[in-house]
Amino acid sequence: MTAETHAFPSLSLVPKAAAPQSMKDFKSDQEVRWCPGCGDYAILAAVQSFLPELGLARENIVFVSGIGCSSRFPYYLNTYGMHSIHGRAPAIATGLAASRPDLSVWVVTGDGDALSIGGNHLIHALRRNVNLKILLFNNRIYGLTKGQYSPTSEVGKITKSTPMGSLDAPFNPLSLALGAEAGFVARTIDSDRKHLQSVLRAAAEHQGTALVEIYQNCNIFNDGAFDALKEPATRDDALIRLEHGQPIRFGAGNGQGVFRDPATGDLAVAEVTADNADRVLVHDAHAAGPTTAFALTRLAAQDTLHNTPIGVLRSVQRPVYDIQMQTQLDQAVAQRGPGDLATLLTGSDTWSVD
Amino acid sequence: MTSQVDVAESTEGEPLSEPSPGAGMLGSGGDRPGSDRPGRDGQRGDGKRVTKLDRVVIRFAGDSGDGMQLTGDRFTTETAGFGNDLSTLPNFPAEIRAPAGTLPGVSSFQLHFADHDILTPGDAPHVLVAMNPAALKANLGDVPRGAEIIVNTDEFTKRALAKVGYAADPLGDGALDAYSVHPVPLTTLTVEALKDSGLARKDAERAKNMFALGLLSWMYHRPTEGTERFLRVKFANKPDIAEANVTAFRAGWNYGETTEDFAVSYEVAPATAAFPAGRYRNISGNLALAYGLVAASQQSGLPLFLGSYPITPASDILHELSKHKNFGVRTFQAEDEIAGIGAALGAAFGGSLGVTTTSGPGVALKSETIGLAVSLELPLLVIDIQRGGPSTGLPTKTEQADLLQAMYGRNGEAPVPIVAPATAAECFTAALEAARIALTYRTPVFLLSDGYLANGSEPWRIPEPQELPDLRVPFATEPNRPDGSFWPYLRDPETLARPWAVPGTPGLEHRVGGIEKQDGSGNISYDPANHDHMVRIRQAKVDGITVPDLTVDDPSPASGRGGPTGGAGLLVLGWGSTYGPIAAAVRRVRAAGGRVAQAHLRHLNPFPANLGEVLAGYDRVLVPEMNLGQLAHLLRAKYLVDAESFTQVTGLPFKAEQLADALTAHLRTADDTDTADAVDTTPEAGRDR
């Protein structure tokens, strides 16, 4: 299978399925054990119904997760999977992907798993650009440990561990990812299956590490955290749907637009008028530099979530770690021939005893 | 060469006394107190004498920046090629360049070479090369009276002397009268030799270690071609530097040949009898370990994946393996210790031979992932090159204090097999053995080496590939249930190993994880009885690992009350890198008539099946360790045996003499007076401490 004929060139090394697949093929026989009403159900269904689209041999797909509610994900997919330990999924998946370029490796993680205990592995996976698709379920709370604030919780959050309000300033996961040299950064929402799948598709097409932040509702410990982005009354004014090559406009009648401040280079939202309509920023996900993508990640208000961009913020090609690693191995063989153990052990300085 | 089996092969004892002081300068090796092999003199036509020696211990000491490790390495390589048996002890500070001329900045390299089978780098040097006052001061305490000391007089300035607290110049105030001192203006002579090289004085001075190497090479009749070749390759891009080093090296040789201060040179004949027939090379523990891993990859047919984070003294394994990409070896320098083992475990899930290399602090960080590997039941090698602890401890010094960490350092009941090489060369076979256990039983395995084995070197008989074990294990390829499904935890009834089904295998899609699972199906299970069963079966799997029986070296005639193989009442039992000093000590004690049995553990979990029987066969068991008695603790707990500890935690290996004294003391206090009376190692004892 050559890259030209593959629907997903980034997966050209992964064997294709012999026959068409359906959502049913990707459901495991395990009972799903999330709380009723959890946003994870919607994401699971979206992923299960998306995977057949890839057309990959199911046995060549692997989901690796850490610890947390979202990290139970692999158990419910009939692929290969590993439910590992807290925060380490990107590291484990890196070893798997780097040693097996014929696999499609996905990481499922949460805001605590990826950004708190596993923050180091996340940023290093992103900078290395291993062929991993990282799905970061962000519910802005610790669910599995029953409701402590997380590294994405808003300041002042009242939780079991912060009765007078949390003090820590939160991470913006996409700003962090861009700072870590991520080549692919996107955001979507659990309840919008169409958008979620379009982002998964773009992530799958990307060669290298893709980070997809999925806003996910925890209806037990942080219910309604993303209502501003979901309620018909508010969502149009809150959500900025990014489309590559299109002016960034949103709100009722597309009356709002994103503009660049010529003085600072920063981005701001303003009403679109006849005078400024031609100055609305045109989204370029493939821009070489990360500056504008970074500015987009800073648009949203942390408390109200107004002006939250969703879609693909950045998608640029960078050298892919696992491919380069294989290339070095191939080069070594080309230059020195396949390794010969007897020659290696003998070395250059030897003597004989008769 | 240190023996690879428990039974010492050579009947040659190491000298009962400590090193022969000032061997040559006394005119004849035969004058050496306590020497078991008199030297023989030969007179050359030019008035220079050649004395034959059976063994020599040399220590090169200088500033961290003086190139002492390189100098020692070169001398070692030439000595190995010449056919002597040898053993080395590099000793250097953790600081890369501590302030010049200070005591903490002193770096040294000790080399013991002989015409017979030897086991240790030597308790004390016959010859000390001191490149500056700090090197003299830091090492003089280890040098027995009468020994030769070569000093670089150029560095003995008022300021340099004051820096290390010498009120007066020890070269002039009689402080060294008990030694045979060769004052040599090494720096001046080197600069003079290089005056036509066009090098700046500062650059020329840097070649003084090669001058010293040349001088020592003359003194001990070492071959020179290899070093000249080495220098030209090392400095291939800087031919002027290469030539300067070669010139300095030759100048040092010629200085020895011409100056009257060096009237004697020494011959140490090749150790022909010590070596079984074969092809040999010199090898350090870390290099042997790296080669063992490549060999394990080849013998198992699995690609090697090393996930590692740099840490002393393990980093050289990462460096070495990164050179062997044409063997399909993938090396991954991770962001931290946890990612190093995580990536290795991920690769193991994908069907690689997953390895992580580290030292004690790294093991602490990897513990949770090792527990995951125990739960996932995937093969994984965890290689711990132990160093002084706790915490950062002594990064460049040796210790054996991670045994209990390897044994127990995880949450929950998480048994992990442990293997430990006894010598530098044995690191090769230990890597293969660790891989055998990991692959056969689908388990993480600890390999415990240490800084002494890692950096020390010795001759190694290069094995033929056909001598190496077949480590191939089959991946699961078919469903294993009557209904056509696949159970990832359906065990092999003999080994209790679960099937290894790697991604890419159709029909065997399955999920594994750190949550307790149902035995067989592998599905998540919180069932109390199942958890109890799983805890016990994971333990039973490790307990059931087949390991070779412990062999005991007990040549004393059976007395009816001794051990299973001989008549000694005292068994000395060690593990890991203490093998050399223990075996050397046992030789000394036996040569003095003492009855002592020796055994050395290569497998610490599980222990060899006959260990309990061996222990029960001796009245007393002495366990020397470079910790506070960790193996003794395990033995006492498991076998209810009154094992006694003999411990040292100095960051340095035991000295043979010290262990011999300990054994002798035990024999004296034993009831077996026949044995005790037979021992007399007193004349030279204690001089070294």
Side-chain angles (χ1 to χ4, degrees), chain A residues 48-320:
Chain A
Q48 284 170 335
S49 65
F50 162 73
L51 286 174
E53 201 182 307
L54 292 174
L56 301 176
R58 191 179 59 187
E59 64 270 18
N60 287 69
I61 300 175
V62 186
F63 277 77
V64 181
S65 63
I67 292 293
C69 293
S70 58
S71 287
R72 298 296 181 94
F73 207 86
Y75 287 117
Y76 309 134
L77 285 170
N78 193 15
T79 63
Y80 281 88
M82 186 195 292
H83 177 219
S84 73
I85 45 177
H86 207 8
R88 316 305 171 198
I92 292 168
T94 290
L96 181 61
S99 60
R100 292 287 304 271
D102 62 326
L103 301 179
S104 172
V105 183
W106 299 69
V107 170
V108 177
T109 181
D111 41 315
D113 194 53
L115 300 169
S116 203
I117 194 167
N120 199 33
H121 307 307
L122 179 72
I123 58 175
H124 287 275
L126 291 169
R127 79 167 164 96
R128 282 193 194 100
N129 206 30
V130 186
N131 199 10
L132 298 176
K133 312 305 161 201
I134 302 175
L135 310 183
L136 195 170
F137 297 13
N138 182 5
N139 56 16
R140 308 185 76 178
I141 199 78
Y142 281 72
L144 198 62
T145 51
K146 300 191 178 180
Q148 300 82 9
Y149 74 110
S150 91
T152 56
S153 295
E154 57 278 19
V155 174
K157 188 147 191 99
I158 307 284
T159 71
K160 280 183 184 153
S161 60
T162 51
M164 295 175 71
S166 61
L167 302 173
D168 325 19
F171 268 137
N172 178 323
L174 299 191
S175 302
L176 179 76
L178 289 165
E181 307 292 343
F184 184 98
V185 169
R187 179 187 286 139
T188 185
I189 301 174
D190 56 0
S191 55
D192 187 344
R193 178 180 295 196
K194 191 167 161 241
H195 188 267
L196 203 164
Q197 291 188 332
S198 75
V199 167
L200 291 178
R201 194 172 299 120
E205 285 169 356
H206 178 74
Q207 282 194 303
T209 310
L211 179 77
V212 178
E213 180 186 27
I214 306 173
Y215 281 159
Q216 173 247 323
N217 190 46
C218 172
N219 58 321
I220 305 297
F221 296 109
N222 203 19
D223 195 25
F226 305 104
D227 277 358
L229 307 177
K230 297 179 176 182
E231 295 295 330
T234 54
R235 70 184 176 201
D236 287 348
D237 285 327
L239 270 185
I240 304 176
R241 291 175 180 271
L242 299 172
E243 299 281 347
H244 174 70
Q246 296 299 315
I248 306 175
R249 296 179 63 160
F250 67 105
N254 268 346
Q256 303 286 308
V258 173
F259 296 87
R260 193 189 301 280
D261 181 335
T264 65
D266 218 341
L267 299 184
V269 170
E271 200 170 325
V272 180
T273 65
D275 287 345
N276 67 11
D278 60 340
R279 287 192 282 112
V280 174
L281 182 73
V282 174
H283 181 47
D284 180 6
H286 308 316
T291 311
T292 305
F294 186 83
L296 282 170
T297 67
R298 313 304 295 179
L299 273 180
Q302 284 291 326
D303 44 359
T304 66
L305 295 182
H306 276 197
N307 305 337
T308 294
I310 62 170
V312 179
L313 282 82
R314 175 171 164 83
S315 174
V316 297
Q317 280 305 307
R318 291 176 50 215
V320 179

Side-chain angles (χ1 to χ4, degrees), chain B residues 15 48 127 229 334 430 442 462 477 528 539 558 625 686:
Chain B
K48 294 237 175 191
V127 184
R229 200 166 51 238
R442 322 270 198 264
I462 302 160
T477 54
Q539 184 68 49
E625 292 181 85

Side-chain angles (χ1 to χ4, degrees), chain B residues 537-592:
Chain B
I537 206 159
R538 284 186 288 255
Q539 184 68 49
K541 184 175 80 166
V542 172
D543 290 345
I545 291 169
T546 306
V547 305
D549 267 354
L550 182 66
T551 55
V552 181
D553 172 32
D554 186 358
S556 37
S559 62
R561 53 182 298 250
T565 62
L570 172 66
L571 171 71
V572 55
L573 178 68
W575 70 279
S577 75
T578 53
Y579 174 77
I582 293 175
V586 165
R587 283 185 190 179
R588 292 179 191 209
V589 172
R590 284 181 187 160

Side-chain angles (χ1 to χ4, degrees), chain A residues 320-339:
Chain A
V320 179
Y321 186 87
D322 32 316
I323 293 174
Q324 290 187 300
M325 192 181 235
Q326 182 62 52
T327 303
Q328 285 196 340
L329 264 54
D330 295 342
Q331 281 173 348
V333 171
Q335 287 163 6
R336 290 183 279 158

Side-chain angles (χ1 to χ4, degrees), chain A residues 30 59 74 78-83 95 98 100 120-121 124 128 321 326 328 336-337 339 344-345 350-353, chain B residues 80 277-281 323-327 330 332 335-336 338 343 350 503-505 510-514 523-524:
Chain A
Q30 297 299 294
E59 64 270 18
N78 193 15
T79 63
Y80 281 88
M82 186 195 292
H83 177 219
R100 292 287 304 271
N120 199 33
H121 307 307
H124 287 275
R128 282 193 194 100
Y321 186 87
Q326 182 62 52
Q328 285 196 340
R336 290 183 279 158
L344 174 72
L345 300 186
T350 65
W351 68 97
S352 288
V353 174
Chain B
R279 196 158 179 77
Y280 286 81
R281 65 178 286 170
K323 296 179 196 165
H324 303 302
K325 294 184 180 8
N326 61 330
F327 284 84
R330 286 178 160 83
F332 172 70
E335 59 270 24
D336 58 29
I338 299 171
T505 314
H510 66 278
R511 276 65 56 193
V512 294
N523 292 330
I524 289 179

